[in-house]
Amino acid sequence: MAATQEEIVEGLAEIVNEIAGIPTEDVLLEKSFTDDLDVDSLSMVEVVVAAEERFDVKIPDDDVKNLKTVGDAADYILKHQG
Amino acid sequence: MTAKIKPTKGAPYARILGVGGYRPHRVVPNEEILKHIDSSDEWIRSRSGIATRHWAGPDETVATMSVEAGGKAIAAAGLTPEQIGGVVVATVSHFKQTPAVATEIAHRLGAGKPAAFDISAGCAGFGYGLTLAKGMVTDDTAEYVLVVGVERLSDLTDLEDRATAFLFGDGAGAVVVGPSEEPAMGPTVWGSEGDKSDTITQTLPWDVYRDEKAAEVRFPAITQEGQSVFRWAVYEMAKVAQQALDEAGVSPQDLDVFIPHQANMRIIDSMVKTLELPEHVTVARDVETTGNTSAASIPLAMERLLATGQAKSGDTALVIGFGAGLVYAATVVTLP
């Protein structure tokens, strides 16, 4: 069954917590991965790969650069999940 | 009439008999790189794990560095240069299309008249050379083969590109491959993905200088798409590394050393995590003080691990090179 936006944000929070050590409660829709959550460009790749596995979605390299905020990523996954 | 051709009788197996390295004298700290780019020591270290790298001086050419490293490898193997029957040089920074630098290296070493040629396989060049050498030894086309990985990547570095200016270094690493009674080099898992050839590439081809406005053209440099390379290196190459272990019949528990191409500490750390290597495996992290030396990075890291006692002769090592092409090569070897 496809995940809801709330479940996706929850999942992204766990992933960001594991990769960048950011508390899950700080991972909110409007937060920028780079500016607010200390996720640099390489960690972002790790977040994306973990999200791909968790939500059964493909996020090509060309699309990664458009995912600036947690909300961007959640919307993308919501739209593309298998 | 089809004449009967005598079969070749090579050695039953091949092994690495000796390793040698050469690092240029000049050590370049991040502070020096910061004269050219808007960045910081902390940023460079956190993105790459690199603190210093060696850059070659005018007297430290691709040939001279290779002769130094090659001479040490031959001595470490307990051989003399005349016994070398093949010289395989992996490099992307020898600036003459022809002749191959391998012939000059063989000559300067005093190796007689060995088969000598260069190969272009980017950061996988050493693994490609190793695989050719193994074939030469077991096919009896050469008893002992010198494999050199050598680069002067400082010549191909865009000092004003803040994404790559700090990455590259210079140096040479070499091994001698010779006959063995026991298997000491596993099957090579290698290949190419030409659909990703733009991911790591030289900015301009040399023939741009035929144009009359050549003086206005910036010297070519190596450029890469960082995120794409990172994803491919960490996740796809971990699968290749695992396949090399499987094909060699070596379990992670039996592995002593992991020597990945020294591209970037973040790639190395993430590969180790993805591969779930056991704690006891020694991981080469030479990139911190050597930078990314492309084809030279694996033999240089191997030499340092052995010289510092972090690894010892007889240890089982997984080596994997990957880079521009994109190309890759992974195998399991017994350390000399």
Side-chain angles (χ1 to χ4, degrees):
Chain A
M1 212 178 83
T4 63
Q5 194 197 46
E6 198 181 332
E7 286 166 344
I8 292 169
V9 174
E10 211 174 290
L12 286 173
E14 283 171 19
I15 290 167
V16 170
N17 173 260
E18 199 197 313
I19 288 164
I22 304 294
T24 50
E25 59 268 27
D26 290 354
V27 182
L28 303 167
L29 280 178
E30 69 278 11
K31 296 281 177 144
S32 152
F33 286 108
T34 321
D35 301 334
D36 302 323
L37 301 176
D38 204 24
V39 175
D40 69 22
S41 64
L42 300 184
S43 295
M44 189 63 197
V45 175
E46 296 182 284
V47 169
V48 162
V49 171
E52 283 187 335
E53 278 179 23
R54 184 161 181 150
F55 300 111
D56 187 24
V57 61
K58 280 265 162 272
I59 311 177
D61 292 335
D62 285 346
D63 291 340
V64 173
K65 58 180 174 296
N66 300 323
L67 309 180
K68 305 279 187 219
T69 66
V70 175
D72 294 340
D75 288 347
Y76 190 96
I77 293 165
L78 203 54
K79 216 165 120 188
H80 295 87
Q81 64 186 337
Chain B
M1 171 190 162
T2 306
K4 197 173 173 193
I5 297 171
K6 222 165 70 176
T8 54
K9 276 192 241 160
Y13 305 104
R15 70 164 60 236
I16 299 176
L17 297 169
V19 60
Y22 180 82
R23 290 175 166 80
H25 296 297
R26 192 159 89 83
V27 175
V28 177
N30 288 341
E31 287 70 30
E32 188 173 332
I33 309 290
L34 294 172
K35 289 177 191 163
H36 309 279
I37 52 169
D38 177 21
S39 190
S40 69
D41 178 49
E42 193 275 330
W43 193 94
I44 293 173
R45 285 177 193 249
S46 74
R47 285 343 185 260
S48 69
I50 298 169
T52 59
R53 72 287 288 145
H54 297 255
W55 279 359
D59 300 337
E60 294 168 310
T61 67
V62 164
T64 64
M65 293 193 292
S66 300
V67 170
E68 291 284 339
K72 287 180 196 166
I74 293 167
L79 300 170
T80 57
E82 309 87 67
Q83 291 173 277
I84 299 296
V87 177
V88 182
V89 178
T91 184
V92 297
S93 44
H94 167 57
F95 287 153
K96 261 189 188 173
Q97 216 79 39
T98 196
V101 73
T103 59
E104 182 185 345
I105 294 165
H107 174 68
R108 287 207 200 186
L109 280 167
K113 296 181 181 179
F117 55 95
D118 297 353
I119 55 173
S120 174
C123 303
F126 179 72
Y128 273 59
L130 209 55
T131 304
L132 293 177
K134 177 186 164 195
M136 290 158 81
V137 168
T138 55
D139 188 43
D140 195 30
T141 44
E143 189 175 11
Y144 299 105
V145 179
L146 179 70
V147 180
V148 181
V150 57
E151 302 292 1
R152 269 182 64 119
L153 293 184
S154 57
D155 290 336
L156 286 171
T157 297
D158 180 352
L159 286 176
E160 289 168 20
D161 177 1
R162 67 189 299 274
T164 59
F166 56 87
L167 273 182
F168 302 117
D170 303 337
V175 298
V176 174
V177 176
S180 171
E181 289 303 315
E182 302 288 329
M185 296 173 78
T188 299
V189 178
W190 60 350
S192 65
E193 297 181 38
D195 58 321
K196 300 185 180 74
S197 60
D198 289 342
T199 318
I200 310 171
T201 184
Q202 183 173 316
T203 48
L204 294 165
W206 298 118
D207 60 6
V208 74
Y209 290 105
R210 271 201 307 233
D211 193 285
E212 56 193 30
K213 289 182 182 156
E216 296 166 24
V217 177
R218 241 182 127 102
F219 196 75
I222 297 170
T223 178
Q224 65 174 7
E225 294 168 20
Q227 284 187 318
S228 301
V229 172
F230 183 81
R231 190 199 287 224
W232 178 77
V234 172
Y235 300 99
E236 299 308 313
M237 291 305 99
K239 292 177 205 162
V240 170
Q242 183 62 53
Q243 202 185 333
L245 280 177
D246 294 345
E247 292 197 12
V250 172
S251 80
Q253 287 306 324
D254 296 330
L255 192 66
D256 301 306
V257 185
F258 178 45
I259 312 178
H261 164 50
Q262 302 289 297
N264 178 319
M265 198 71 87
R266 295 279 293 275
I267 291 177
I268 297 170
D269 288 340
S270 294
M271 273 184 110
V272 168
K273 209 167 91 183
T274 307
L275 275 167
E276 297 177 352
L277 290 181
E279 285 280 316
H280 75 265
V281 175
T282 298
V283 178
R285 297 182 188 282
D286 192 38
V287 68
E288 184 182 1
T289 54
T290 307
N292 176 343
T293 56
S294 189
S297 85
I298 291 174
L300 276 173
M302 186 186 290
E303 186 268 340
R304 181 150 281 175
L305 286 175
L306 289 165
T308 56
Q310 292 172 271
K312 58 184 192 308
S313 175
D315 277 355
T316 303
L318 169 64
V319 299
I320 177 166
F322 45 86
L326 297 172
V327 288
Y328 55 87
T331 188
V332 177
V333 298
T334 305
L335 292 182

